[in-house]
Each structure stands twice: as structure tokens, then as C-alpha cells.
Amino acid sequence: MKLRLFTIIVLMLTLAMSCSKKDDSGVSESNRPVIGVSLLTMTNPFFKDMGTAIKEEAEKNGYEVNLVAGEFDPAKQQNQISDFIVKNVAAILLCPTDSKAIGTSIAQANEAGIPVFTADIACTAEGAQVVSHVATNNYAAGRLAAQALIEALHGKGHIGIIDHPEVESVIMRTRGFEDEIKEQVEQNKADIKIVAKLPGKGSKDIAFKACEDMLQAHSNLNGIFAINDPSALGAVAAIEKAGRAGRIKVIGIDGQPEGRQAIRAGKIYADVIQDPQEIGRKAVEAIVQYNAGEEVDAEILIDTKIYRQEDALQDPTLK
């Protein structure tokens, strides 16, 4: 009886060790390699679309995806990355909640020998090694946004920026926007003054409050550059509440359905259109190529274009 009990215990321990080893091997129960993905948020349609494309492209290439989101919380995202490292995933793909704070977690993945890739938002922390960054050409997008706002204001006016300086992609957008405005002014092609820049966290609610503050402080405001569609929609809501609809031009960056609908309705002048699905696909392609031993570009940039009301009126995806 004791011998049988001992044998059962040994078999159970052996099975447990086998399962543990399998969980740490970087493959799923179906023996497919796993990509650990932590997005910025899943409340924003941009990142939802990106996540869907990541899953679809991974499936096509024989990978599974463990998809989570940091929801703007660096500590939460750090825990998610720690979990990926414990599970020894085949690769980690991140949209950092904070471009600097993410560095420690990426360094831990580096030490564990897990390749790290970033999408949309880059890591700016020193010492953190990222194989490849896939994103919108955000600097160029910022310049396009400035051109659209200058166009909307016929080259003259006072403007504000609703910013989100914690993330690298927005830093580049804002830099491109400000550089384009500066160059146009220096070349006497425009008479534009940036009179306010407030953080909106990329959120409709926070951007609404930021825009309210701008409107109260600057009665002569003519235009607003919002760094994404939720920020632009928040600005529109604040402008309408203040009774200044139609008098303040709003430019956004994204191209989400709600943003495009607002452009069609004339509430937002234009968007600089991004392609989150292409970003997701290209990121997975880079992971597959790297794990196959192929060379991967350190930076892969996706071009953008301006989307105006005339585009929205002919957009078959809008009702």
C-alpha cells in the first residue's frame, strides 16, 4: 500500500514538472510559439484594430497571441511584461504606456533573452534594447496636421495644442506640428501663433477639460491641434458647450470611425489618417522574420495622408 502511494506521488510530481516545463517553453498547449502583446489601451478603437490585426497575422504565421493592455498604467504594464518573461514567450510586442518607464521591463526581457518589439509608441529609455519599432511616421503626420490647420485658418490665427507628452509617438507628432508652423511663419507663408499647449492624456474626457481651460484663457482662439481622435472629439464637445461651434477649427490624427463621422458633419476640419492594422501586421512580420534569423529594420514607418470633409462624403464605410 505504501509502495503504491509512493508510486502515485512520484507520478504526480513528474507530471507537474512536465507541465511546468511546457508552460515555460514559450509555446502554447498546441505547441505554437506565443507572442506576448501589451497595448496602450483597449478602450481606443485604434488599438483595438491593431490588436485584431496582430492576432490575425500571427495566426497566419503559426503563432498564438497573449493580448493584454496596460490601460495607461505603467505599473500594470510592467506586471504584464513580467508575466510574459515568466512564461518565456517567443517575443514581446509593446505599445508603452510611458516611453521612459518601460525601459526597466524591456531590460529584464533582454536579460531573459526574449526579443522585444514596439508598435506605435517607441521606448526612449537608455539601455533598453528593442529589435524593431513599427509606427506611423508621426513626425511627418504632425507636419501634415499643421498644414491642414494653416489651410483651415487661411494662414492666420491663434491656436492651441492638446498634447500627451508621456508617449514618444505624440512627442514626435507635436514636434512635427510645431516645426511646420515655425517654418511657415519664418518664411512669411503664415501668421500663426501657438498660444496654449495643455495635456489631454489622449482621452476624450481629459481633452474636454483641457479645451475648456484653453477657451476660457484665450477668447481669440481660432484653431486646435489635437494629437488623436478622442482628444479632437473632446475639444469639439468643449467648443460646442461654449457656444463657439464653427468658429474654431479642429485638426486631429487617427481616422477612427467617430472622428471621420465628425469630419463628415463638419465638426472636425480634417484628420491625418493612420493605419493601425498595417502597423499590427508589419510588427508581426518583423517578429516572424527575426525569429527565422532574417535581418529586420530597426524602424519601420507607415505613411499618412490628410482626410478632409470631401473624403468623408465619399467614404463608403460611413453611413
Side-chain angles (χ1 to χ4, degrees), residues 82-101:
S82 295
D83 184 53
F84 294 154
I85 294 172
V86 169
K87 292 179 178 177
N88 193 27
V89 295
I92 293 174
L93 175 58
L94 303 172
C95 299
T97 57
D98 188 299
S99 293
K100 288 185 178 179

Side-chain angles (χ1 to χ4, degrees), residues 51-207:
T52 298
I54 288 169
K55 284 185 174 181
E56 291 175 351
E57 190 67 24
E59 181 73 22
K60 283 167 49 179
N61 286 277
Y63 283 77
E64 288 192 8
V65 173
N66 182 350
L67 180 64
V68 293
E71 299 302 343
F72 304 99
D73 184 346
K76 182 175 182 178
Q77 190 166 61
Q78 287 167 0
N79 289 335
Q80 292 167 348
I81 297 168
S82 295
D83 184 53
F84 294 154
I85 294 172
V86 169
K87 292 179 178 177
N88 193 27
V89 295
I92 293 174
L93 175 58
L94 303 172
C95 299
T97 57
D98 188 299
S99 293
K100 288 185 178 179
I102 199 68
T104 302
S105 294
I106 292 178
Q108 290 171 351
N110 296 155
E111 291 177 7
I114 300 173
V116 179
F117 299 74
T118 52
D120 186 57
I121 303 167
C123 168
T124 58
E126 293 184 7
Q129 297 175 12
V130 173
V131 175
S132 183
H133 174 59
V134 184
T136 296
N137 188 336
N138 284 293
Y139 181 78
R143 295 191 77 113
L144 280 178
Q147 292 168 18
L149 191 51
I150 290 170
E151 171 187 291
L153 298 178
H154 305 289
K156 186 175 182 179
H158 293 81
I159 63 173
I161 298 173
I162 299 180
D163 205 3
H164 184 23
E166 291 84 1
V167 298
E168 182 271 349
S169 59
V170 176
I171 293 171
M172 296 305 295
R173 290 176 197 180
T174 303
R175 185 179 300 165
F177 181 87
E178 291 175 331
D179 284 353
E180 182 70 21
I181 294 292
K182 181 180 178 182
E183 287 182 19
Q184 295 269 10
V185 170
E186 289 177 345
Q187 295 170 12
N188 294 317
K189 294 180 179 179
D191 182 16
I192 301 287
K193 294 181 180 179
I194 300 173
V195 297
K197 180 160 62 171
L198 294 176
K201 290 284 185 181
S203 160
K204 185 175 181 178
D205 292 342
I206 299 174

Side-chain angles (χ1 to χ4, degrees), residues 10-51:
V10 169
L11 286 172
M12 291 176 66
L13 287 171
T14 302
L15 180 60
M17 290 175 66
S18 175
C19 290
S20 176
K21 185 177 289 186
K22 187 174 184 180
D23 289 343
D24 292 341
S25 65
V27 298
S28 65
E29 291 182 0
S30 60
N31 291 320
R32 292 193 293 175
V34 177
I35 302 171
V37 180
S38 177
L39 302 179
L40 176 67
T41 178
M42 285 299 286
T43 63
N44 186 322
F46 177 89
F47 291 100
K48 287 183 180 179
D49 289 346
M50 187 189 298

